[in-house]
Amino acid sequence: MEENPFIEIPQLYWLLLIGGTLLFTCLIPLVILLIMKYNGNIKDLDVSDPKERTIPYIFTIFSLSLWSTFLQMMQVPSFLYYSSTAITIALIIVTIITHWWKISVHLASFGGSIAMLAGILWYFGIPARNILIVMFVLAWLLMLARIRLNAHTPLQTVCGFLLGLTIVFIPNIFDLQSILNK
């Protein structure tokens, strides 16, 4: 029977990583959006007006930067820190692009998450094919939902997805190559 690589890492460590990721990448940005909507700083939670996007994105970039710094201080495997930092960089790029074109931040985040998941699965030697197929199907469904809601065009969703996937995948490739060369 194959040994489960997750058993070697304390459960509290995993809970902290998962809880912190949820807090800094999802809950804090959501609370910021809700407060801004309540105060009338944004018209809708999709932040459909390009002029309204900068402030929530800056708060989210700050939140992600704090999380990346915390991951580095925890001395997590380097690909986790690199992935978190790369997702932050992807959001900075999305923030710049969104001044001219409404690229999908939802799909950029999902693409980055898939790249990070691929790194985690590879690092722990977990067969990834079926899991990644499911993730790509979920990304496709998210694309369809964003298009159906008239939040984005097909090109905006695909470009957002590819941006996040690529930006997070690149540092993982270099980090995994350095692990293989040791």
Side-chain angles (χ1 to χ4, degrees):
M1 182 185 261
E2 230 175 89
E3 188 177 320
N4 182 349
F6 290 102
I7 293 173
E8 299 171 16
I9 299 172
Q11 186 176 11
L12 181 61
Y13 185 82
W14 280 110
L15 291 174
L16 183 62
L17 285 176
I18 292 167
T21 300
L22 181 64
L23 176 69
F24 284 93
T25 66
C26 183
L27 295 178
I28 290 174
L30 177 61
V31 168
I32 290 166
L33 276 178
L34 291 172
I35 291 170
M36 290 184 75
K37 172 78 171 115
Y38 179 78
N39 289 334
N41 302 106
I42 58 174
K43 291 180 213 142
D44 54 56
L45 293 178
D46 274 334
V47 197
S48 52
D49 183 352
K51 293 177 225 141
E52 296 177 346
R53 291 187 202 131
T54 304
I55 300 298
Y57 285 7
I58 287 172
F59 275 110
T60 304
I61 290 166
F62 181 71
S63 180
L64 292 173
S65 298
L66 287 175
W67 183 235
S68 293
T69 302
F70 182 73
L71 289 175
Q72 186 179 28
M73 289 174 20
M74 282 183 54
Q75 297 179 342
V76 298
S78 55
F79 72 89
L80 289 173
Y81 165 72
Y82 292 151
S83 293
S84 177
T85 302
I87 289 171
T88 306
I89 291 167
L91 184 56
I92 291 168
I93 294 169
V94 166
T95 302
I96 293 166
I97 291 172
T98 199
H99 285 287
W100 297 279
W101 191 54
K102 191 180 179 193
I103 191 167
S104 176
V105 72
H106 287 90
L107 272 301
S109 298
F110 205 88
S113 298
I114 290 174
M116 186 174 190
L117 177 63
I120 291 169
L121 295 173
W122 187 91
Y123 184 83
F124 287 106
I126 299 169
R129 188 183 71 216
N130 293 337
I131 295 169
L132 291 176
I133 288 171
V134 168
M135 294 301 290
F136 277 99
V137 168
L138 290 174
W140 178 72
L141 291 172
L142 179 59
M143 286 179 188
L144 291 177
R146 300 301 292 161
I147 294 164
R148 173 90 178 174
L149 290 169
N150 292 321
H152 293 286
T153 65
L155 186 60
Q156 291 168 336
T157 61
V158 170
C159 288
F161 178 76
L162 292 175
L163 176 83
L165 185 74
T166 304
I167 298 278
V168 177
F169 196 68
I170 289 170
N172 278 305
I173 290 171
F174 290 114
D175 189 47
L176 295 176
Q177 283 179 345
S178 69
I179 291 170
L180 288 173
N181 293 333
K182 288 183 179 179

